[in-house]
Amino acid sequence: MRKPLVVALCALALAGAGVTPAAAAAPTSAGADTAPGTGAGPGSTTVLDVVDGAATAADAVAGLTGPKAAAVNFAGTVSLSNCSGSVVRLPHSEDDDPALVLTNGHCLESGFPAAGEVLVDRASSRGFGLLGASGSRVATLRANRLVYATMTDTDAAVYRLGTTYARIKSAYGIDALTLDDTRPAAGTAISVVSGYWKRIYGCSVDGFAHRLKEGAWTWKDSVRYTPACDTIGGTSGSPVVDDATGKVVAVNNTGNEDGERCTVNNPCEVDANGVVTVRRGINYAQQTYPFTDCFGADGVLDLDASACTLPKP
């Protein structure tokens, strides 16, 4: 999670004059539908992201113009007002099920969920810009419910759209991305696909953080990227795609910007013995396979399903 994008954009403008931006702030309140995010901090009123792991405005500019991974494209990803996301389906979804959109919990238009807070079945009319394979915006999709959102154990939000997978395919020729129902392995080649910036980052799963702690929030079994995925602000909520299968294995959410220990915008890893490790400039995602056990027929959320391990309200 990072400081408001609005500040980052100012920093980018100043970069031409040789000015270096101030250090990034934390997960500001995640949400006003007005800008992008990989983070912001508690107590804020907006949730715009800045730079994931970029030290200067020049780094951010380089990140936006860098090469894209060849095997994965933008079809099915979405841009939010403050983050990235994707239209996703479960392995057992039917074409006539209401379509779902996945992003981060800290990207909510209502602000960051508190530690321990889980939101379910809330009204929403949030809009999402649907992208085609080249990254061009082909439509605006609109939610009718926030199905699930939390920043506890994971950092994820799922919205239900007012249309089906079949209608999206018929109207725009775009298929939803499928959530993988198995845990990714270390060494897996992945692509982080940002609908907000229309950029694809390619790297590998470096390993996993038993616990990833950032400010008041703690996430479990987080994916750690190799350094090549130097994601920037606005990439929060991007699907992390297994290059070999094309399936979503995680949702991009944060990185350690300044080398600080367990502070906002500076998550730390905590192992099973309580040993803390700080990896400056390294970025992380939250695994998504647990969601496949928590949705039943017609894409209905069922937190009481026997195999469902997601936090409950």
Side-chain angles (χ1 to χ4, degrees):
M1 298 180 293
R2 285 155 176 81
K3 84 179 166 187
L5 182 66
V6 110
V7 178
L9 293 177
C10 292
L12 293 177
L14 291 172
V19 179
T20 300
T28 64
S29 202
D33 248 13
T34 49
T38 294
S44 319
T45 54
T46 57
V47 113
L48 310 155
D49 260 357
V50 200
V51 178
D52 276 349
T56 66
D59 293 331
V61 172
L64 295 178
T65 57
K68 296 177 175 61
V72 175
N73 62 43
F74 296 97
T77 63
V78 299
S79 59
L80 285 69
S81 58
N82 61 342
C83 288
S84 299
S86 56
V87 180
V88 296
R89 62 187 300 154
L90 307 160
H92 54 274
S93 291
E94 301 288 344
D95 289 345
D96 60 355
D97 287 347
L100 303 174
V101 166
L102 172 70
T103 186
N104 283 149
H106 80 258
C107 293
L108 292 183
E109 62 272 45
S110 57
F112 281 19
E117 184 178 14
V118 177
L119 305 175
V120 296
D121 195 27
R122 303 290 181 95
S124 176
S125 59
R126 193 164 198 182
F128 308 93
L130 177 65
L131 304 187
S134 67
S136 59
R137 182 172 178 145
V138 300
T140 297
L141 304 175
R142 195 158 298 279
N144 56 29
R145 304 298 290 179
L146 171 65
V147 176
Y148 182 89
T150 191
M151 288 176 65
T152 299
D153 294 353
T154 186
D155 182 6
V158 177
Y159 290 86
R160 187 181 70 204
L161 300 179
T163 190
T164 65
Y165 298 114
R167 288 174 186 160
I168 293 173
K169 175 70 172 179
S170 175
Y172 312 112
I174 293 174
D175 290 310
L177 302 179
T178 300
L179 295 184
D180 201 328
D181 58 4
T182 60
R183 186 177 187 271
T188 299
I190 54 174
S191 294
V192 182
V193 190
S194 172
Y196 186 90
W197 287 119
K198 300 177 178 62
R199 184 185 170 192
I200 300 174
Y201 300 78
C203 63
S204 299
V205 175
D206 183 54
F208 303 90
H210 173 69
R211 297 290 183 269
L212 190 67
K213 181 172 176 55
E214 179 172 346
W217 298 279
T218 300
W219 304 303
K220 295 180 177 179
D221 201 22
S222 303
V223 172
R224 179 176 64 246
Y225 305 144
T226 52
C229 279
D230 54 345
T231 47
I232 65 171
T235 62
S236 283
S238 298
V240 180
V241 178
D242 182 325
D243 289 349
T245 66
K247 294 181 180 180
V248 176
V249 296
V251 58
N252 179 64
N253 82 310
T254 194
N256 186 293
E257 294 183 347
D258 307 310
E260 294 180 5
R261 178 184 169 111
C262 314
T263 62
V264 169
N265 295 330
N266 293 283
C268 63
E269 299 183 21
V270 184
D271 72 13
N273 297 314
V275 177
V276 175
T277 302
V278 172
R279 303 177 191 269
R280 182 175 183 176
I282 294 299
N283 298 298
Y284 301 88
Q286 303 307 310
Q287 297 189 55
T288 50
Y289 75 90
F291 282 86
T292 65
D293 290 322
C294 299
F295 283 82
D298 302 320
V300 175
L301 180 68
D302 181 7
L303 295 177
D304 293 322
S306 59
C308 182
T309 59
L310 290 177
K312 300 178 182 180

